[in-house]
């Protein structure tokens, strides 16, 4: 079963149902039912036209649900709109569906959560982790968002800033999580950049390209994480780096700085260093100061503490870290790293072990566990 194919087709199938008159929540339920049916049927009887098969099955699932609910408006009209047989149209509605989910009636956080669930293919648990809220809270937020956009016209314009936020989170989940969505996020951001002339759209595309350029070097052959300072920079994709830097420079020249451009500038400084020791940490701290001014994000302040520790020494980094809430995700891991840099191996080992216990995914947990074991072995030796 090609799960990647199913994941790539589901947004377009959802878009077809919504465009033909299905309300959003019912359409998403029907698509999910069709995907389950595909998992059951396709291994033994794969269709010639996968998208057409999914559209037909999803539409029938929707009709079945519609017939069972006599209170649904337009029931008889919808029954007359069943798509004709034959190959499905080839157009890609994914980006348009992103804009539907970014409907003005939704708060930005609800719009992002709905898109990640309905279009991005993430689980409610993954989205809750990204938002730092309990899974039950996120499930309620997504349900309310579905009810809000039910019945909304497919061509209703959405909010570009919200779409950018969604694409950014989808890319991050694909870059570091369990579902590979990074390439899809880049593809859609390229589409958006071709349609919308805005420096922040370009900034996001540059940021994605610069991070994606390092992807193959982020893991060892055994699947373990490789920290940025230890990566083989010869494995970085110089073509993507050059493209990302060129896009970023053009965006910055317009003098309308935004958060994505600032993040891309930090990524570009990392990419510019031939070896980790040549990294311009002073300039990176300056960009984090700009990013803090733009976002006032605690996560940005956490990353800034790491940069300060590199630029001004671990004691300065620990002082910056002390100003932050220690319940922040990865706060303990940052503290462990800075204590190790400061020579306090016992504290660092303890904090690495504690951070491993709260790690959001298995590769990160294993990496932190190895860090703790490494320091404990040094202390014993």
């Amino acid at each position: 079963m090609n799960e990647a194919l199913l994941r790539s087709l589901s947004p377009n199938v959802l878009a077809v149902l919504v465009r033909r008159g299905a309300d959003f929540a019912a359409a998403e339920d029907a698509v999910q039912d069709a995907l389950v049916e595909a998992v059951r049927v396709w291994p033994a009887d794969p269709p010639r036209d996968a998208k057409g098969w999914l559209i037909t099955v999803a539409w029938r699932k929707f009709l079945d649900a519609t017939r069972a609910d006599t209170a649904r408006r337009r029931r008889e009209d919808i029954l007359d709109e069943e798509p004709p047989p034959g190959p499905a149209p080839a157009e890609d509605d994914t980006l348009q569906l992103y804009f539907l989910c970014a409907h003005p009636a939704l708060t930005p956080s609800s719009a992002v959560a709905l898109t990640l669930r309905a279009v991005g293919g993430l689980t409610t648990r993954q989205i809750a982790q990204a938002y730092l809220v309990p899974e039950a809270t996120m499930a309620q937020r997504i349900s309310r968002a579905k009810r809000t956009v039910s019945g909304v016209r497919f061509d209703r314009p959405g909010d570009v800033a919200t779409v950018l936020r969604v694409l950014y989170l989808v890319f991050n989940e694909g870059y570091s999580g369990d579902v590979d969505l990074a390439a899809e996020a880049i593809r859609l951001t390229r589409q958006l950049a071709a349609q919308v002339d805005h420096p922040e759209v370009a900034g996001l595309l540059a940021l994605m390209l610069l991070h994606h350029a390092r992807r193959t070097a982020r893991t060892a052959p055994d699947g373990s994480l490789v920290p940025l300072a230890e990566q083989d920079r010869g494995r970085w994709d110089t073509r993507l780096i050059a493209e990302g830097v060129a896009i970023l420079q053009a965006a910055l020249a317009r003098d309308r700085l935004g958060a994505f451009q600032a993040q891309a500038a930090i990524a570009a400084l990392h990419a510019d260093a031939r070896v980790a020791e040549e990294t311009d940490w002073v300039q990176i701290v300056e960009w984090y100061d700009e990013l803090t001014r733009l976002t006032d994000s605690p996560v940005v302040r956490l990353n800034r503490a790491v940069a300060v520790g590199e630029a001004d020494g671990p004691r300065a980094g620990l002082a910056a870290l002390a100003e932050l809430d220690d319940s922040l995700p990865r706060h303990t891991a940052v503290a462990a790293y800075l204590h190790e840099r400061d020579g306090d191996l016992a504290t660092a080992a303890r904090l690495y072990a504690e951070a491993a216990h709260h790690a959001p995914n298995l590769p990160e947990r294993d990496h932190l566990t190895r860090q703790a074991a490494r320091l404990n072995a040094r202390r014993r030796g």
Side-chain angles (χ1 to χ4, degrees):
M1 168 55 58
N2 192 333
E3 295 183 6
L5 175 62
L6 288 176
R7 193 180 305 119
S8 66
L9 290 175
S10 61
N12 291 305
V13 176
L14 178 58
V16 170
L17 267 62
V18 172
R19 193 165 54 237
R20 289 184 174 275
D23 70 72
F24 190 92
E28 198 213 355
D29 289 342
V31 172
Q32 294 302 316
D33 288 342
L35 295 177
V36 171
E37 187 73 4
V39 171
R40 185 182 69 83
V41 171
W42 285 12
D45 186 20
R48 292 183 179 180
D49 178 9
K51 180 180 176 181
W53 189 97
L54 285 171
I55 290 173
T56 300
V57 173
W59 187 256
R60 288 172 180 167
K61 297 286 185 183
F62 169 69
L63 294 183
D64 288 344
T66 302
R67 292 188 184 100
D69 185 359
T70 57
R72 289 188 187 272
R73 293 179 299 176
R74 298 186 64 244
R75 177 169 57 109
E76 297 302 327
D77 292 338
I78 291 174
L79 292 176
D80 293 333
E81 295 176 5
E82 183 167 359
E91 69 265 17
D92 181 0
D93 296 305
T94 307
L95 188 59
Q96 195 172 8
L97 199 56
Y98 270 65
F99 275 93
L100 173 65
C101 292
H103 190 268
L106 295 174
T107 64
S109 60
S110 293
V112 172
L114 177 63
T115 313
L116 292 173
R117 180 69 187 92
V119 190
L122 275 63
T123 66
T124 303
R125 175 174 297 180
Q126 288 170 323
I127 302 169
Q129 289 174 346
Y131 272 85
L132 313 180
V133 299
E135 184 175 355
T137 300
M138 183 52 64
Q140 293 175 353
R141 184 179 300 176
I142 293 172
S143 295
R144 287 195 298 269
K146 285 182 183 180
R147 290 195 297 269
T148 300
V149 299
S150 291
V152 170
R153 289 184 59 82
F154 185 75
D155 57 357
R156 182 80 176 271
D159 177 61
V160 173
T162 301
V163 172
L164 287 178
R165 176 67 175 162
V166 175
L167 289 167
Y168 176 67
L169 288 177
V170 170
F171 176 81
N172 281 345
E173 188 62 41
Y175 191 68
S176 62
D178 300 325
V179 181
D180 186 2
L181 296 167
E184 173 70 357
I186 291 173
R187 183 183 71 83
L188 292 173
T189 306
R190 287 189 187 278
Q191 285 186 12
L192 186 61
Q195 297 175 18
V196 178
D197 182 22
H198 193 286
E200 272 295 82
V201 178
L204 177 58
L205 179 57
L207 176 64
M208 289 180 175
L209 294 173
L210 289 164
H211 279 302
H212 206 59
R214 304 198 301 254
R215 185 170 188 178
T216 57
R218 291 184 71 248
T219 54
D222 62 0
S224 60
L225 292 180
V226 180
L228 178 61
E230 300 173 17
Q231 289 176 16
D232 178 1
R233 300 187 177 215
R235 298 179 63 196
W236 290 1
D237 189 327
T238 55
R239 180 186 59 82
L240 288 181
I241 291 173
E243 182 185 3
V245 169
I247 292 171
L248 172 63
Q249 289 174 338
L252 291 175
R254 301 177 66 175
D255 198 24
R256 293 166 58 191
L257 184 64
F260 290 124
Q261 295 168 75
Q263 291 181 71
I266 293 169
L269 286 167
H270 283 298
D272 189 52
R274 292 175 299 175
V275 293
E277 291 75 19
E278 293 181 1
T279 304
D280 189 345
W281 286 106
V282 172
Q283 194 173 168
I284 287 176
V285 171
E286 292 174 356
W287 276 110
Y288 270 121
D289 289 339
E290 289 286 351
L291 193 54
T292 300
R293 179 181 61 80
L294 290 166
T295 67
D296 196 29
S297 163
V299 175
V300 169
R301 293 180 183 275
L302 183 68
N303 291 331
R304 179 185 178 277
V306 176
V308 169
E310 299 289 353
D312 301 327
R315 297 285 176 91
L318 287 167
L321 188 65
E323 300 174 1
L324 305 176
D325 186 345
D326 61 8
S327 66
L328 275 172
R330 297 186 173 86
H331 184 286
T332 306
V334 170
Y337 173 74
L338 291 172
H339 277 290
E340 180 184 357
R341 289 277 319 281
D342 195 39
D344 187 353
L345 301 189
T347 300
R350 175 178 58 80
L351 290 173
Y352 275 131
E354 181 182 337
H357 181 69
H358 299 289
N361 54 62
L362 183 60
E364 189 167 338
R365 187 192 71 186
D366 290 345
H367 170 71
L368 293 167
T369 300
R370 282 193 295 271
Q371 296 294 84
R374 175 179 58 81
L375 293 187
N376 285 327
R378 281 181 59 185
R379 292 171 59 216
R380 288 193 297 268

